[in-house]
Every structure is written in C-alpha cells, then in structure tokens.
Amino acid sequence: MAIRRAKQKAQVIEKLSQVAPPGETFIACVHVETGPSPWLNAVFDEVPLLGLIVALTRQFYFLTLTNSSIVVNSASRWTNRPGDVVAVFPRHAFPVSRVKRASIWSSMYLQLPTSGKPTRLNIHRYWRAELDQLSTAFPPGSIDAASQPFELAPQGMPYAAPQGQPFPQQQQQQPYPAPPAQPYPPQGQPYPQQQPYPAPPAQPYPPQGQPYPQQQPYPAPPAQPYPPQGQPYPQQQPYGGQPGYPAQR
C-alpha cells in the first residue's frame, strides 16, 4: 500500500503514461474522496452502522493536471493504487465549482460524466501544495467567497489555458470616458494671458512720499467783540431803565 505522496504520484504517472499522447507533461496529482465532510465522521460513528455505511460509500480518485487536460482516475480504497480513467477534461473546460480551500479539509464540486449532478470532493491538507497547482485550471467564478486564497491562482484570477493555445477571449471593456477639458496649459507651456484687472478708482490721497495738496484756508474769524488783553473796556452807556421805572443812580 502506497502511503507517501511521491510514491502515489509515481504510480499515477506510470499508469497514465501508457495512454497519454506523445509530449504530454504531468504537472500535479491530487488525491480526493467523495461524500459529506469528513468532519462529520465522529457524528456518524455515534449511530450504529451509520459510520461504516458512510465510509463504504465514499469513493476515491486522483485528479492529474497535465499541460493540456485534467485526468480523473479511480483509486483503490485499500492500496491507493490508480485504476481506470473515469474522465478527461480540457484545461479550459474543467467543470468544477464551489471550490473552498480550508485549513484541514478543502472541498470542491466536480461534474462527473457518470453522475447527474456535481459530486463533492474532499481534499486533505496533506495534498494542499498539489491543490494549489491544480487551481490554475479553475474557471473564473468557481472559487467560493469564503475560500482561503490559493498561492498559485488567487481568487478572481483567470485560469490558465492549455499549452500552445491562446487564452479565451475576455469581454472587451468599455473605454474610459475622455477627461474634461484641461483648464491649465500643458506642462512647460506658458499660461494664457489673462485680462487686466480694471483700473483702481481715483486715488483720493497723494502717493506715498508726495506732499498733500494745498488746502483752502479757513474763513477769517468774526470781529473780536472784546478789546485785546490789557486794553480798557470801552465806555458803556448807562442803563436807562425800563418804562415805568426810574433810572438807577
């Protein structure tokens, strides 16, 4: 019974080399098993015979990535030796969906020709490096949003086309709209001449450093009703009194 990955992959390549076309290159080989999540095995074992039934209904396969195809081989339950070829898919038409890379048990759904609906495949962490290599053939949109990123094909990247074949035509993107008219001249060019500012209002004051204009003299003060200081007051007329009253002496 082959336990090491290198030994199992060598057996798969030896098996496929007998039927592969000339010049075929083998890139990666992944061991998978069908059935519900292996994390549920502990629950199944609690029910008499249920755990044994689930274990016996699981099937095992090898998925082998080549330079042009993905080959699915059956695998022995007891010895892990590769069996007959179950399906061969072109790299640009690998019918896989809902791929989820996890810490221990990863999973994917593959549409096999012997089944009417996609079959769940579970991949142990032991084969994670090979799963990352196989991820280069996953079609766009097949990776689950909750999946851990693949090292060789991060989520959202297009899949690799077969060797020697062009990549599939992708949807042509609409060109970006033209940018608005540039309000500034190109770099290195002079700015356009601007309109002069309107003339300032007439300056009410002379420019700095110039004498102020001659001001008009104030009007002459009224005649002085009092004599200059030191001069006697003019003689006043005696008070004549008011009508009906005698004059004061």
Side-chain angles (χ1 to χ4, degrees), residues 18-106:
Q18 301 173 4
V19 295
E24 195 76 3
T25 303
F26 301 95
I27 301 173
C29 186
V30 184
H31 184 270
V32 301
E33 61 181 69
T34 65
S37 173
W39 291 111
L40 299 176
N41 288 342
V43 178
F44 298 150
D45 292 340
E46 296 296 327
V47 182
L49 298 179
L50 181 59
L52 179 61
I53 294 174
V54 173
L56 293 177
T57 56
R58 292 187 187 274
Q59 296 179 333
F60 301 86
Y61 297 99
F62 284 105
L63 305 183
T64 304
L65 175 68
T66 72
N67 60 309
S68 64
S69 308
I70 296 95
V71 185
V72 183
N73 281 81
S74 61
S76 173
R77 182 187 307 276
W78 314 111
T79 63
N80 285 336
R81 291 191 63 87
D84 297 333
V85 174
V86 176
V88 179
F89 304 105
R91 286 186 58 161
H92 64 277
F94 187 30
V96 68
S97 61
R98 298 166 61 184
V99 182
K100 186 175 182 180
R101 186 182 191 266
S103 300
I104 305 297
W105 282 102
S106 302

Side-chain angles (χ1 to χ4, degrees), residues 129-165:
E130 288 75 13
L131 178 62
D132 285 349
Q133 291 178 299
L134 180 65
S135 66
T136 58
F138 293 160
S142 63
I143 300 177
D144 192 271
S147 172
Q148 295 179 357
F150 290 89
E151 295 182 0
L152 298 181
Q155 184 175 358
M157 295 293 292
Y159 59 89
Q163 185 175 355
Q165 299 294 328

Side-chain angles (χ1 to χ4, degrees), residues 84-221:
D84 297 333
V85 174
V86 176
V88 179
F89 304 105
R91 286 186 58 161
H92 64 277
F94 187 30
V96 68
S97 61
R98 298 166 61 184
V99 182
K100 186 175 182 180
R101 186 182 191 266
S103 300
I104 305 297
W105 282 102
S106 302
S107 63
M108 67 175 70
Y109 287 80
L110 178 63
Q111 181 63 60
L112 295 171
T114 56
S115 177
K117 62 179 181 179
T119 302
R120 178 186 172 111
L121 303 179
N122 303 300
I123 306 97
H124 192 266
R125 179 185 176 89
Y126 187 67
W127 297 89
R128 171 176 287 191
E130 288 75 13
L131 178 62
D132 285 349
Q133 291 178 299
L134 180 65
S135 66
T136 58
F138 293 160
S142 63
I143 300 177
D144 192 271
S147 172
Q148 295 179 357
F150 290 89
E151 295 182 0
L152 298 181
Q155 184 175 358
M157 295 293 292
Y159 59 89
Q163 185 175 355
Q165 299 294 328
F167 281 93
Q169 293 292 334
Q170 298 183 358
Q171 183 178 2
Q172 186 176 6
Q173 297 181 355
Q174 296 295 328
Y176 287 99
Q182 181 67 26
Y184 304 104
Q187 187 175 4
Q189 298 295 327
Y191 280 89
Q193 290 192 355
Q194 299 180 356
Q195 295 296 327
Y197 286 99
Q203 181 69 26
Y205 304 104
Q208 187 175 4
Q210 297 296 327
Y212 280 89
Q214 294 291 331
Q215 297 182 358
Q216 295 296 325
Y218 286 98

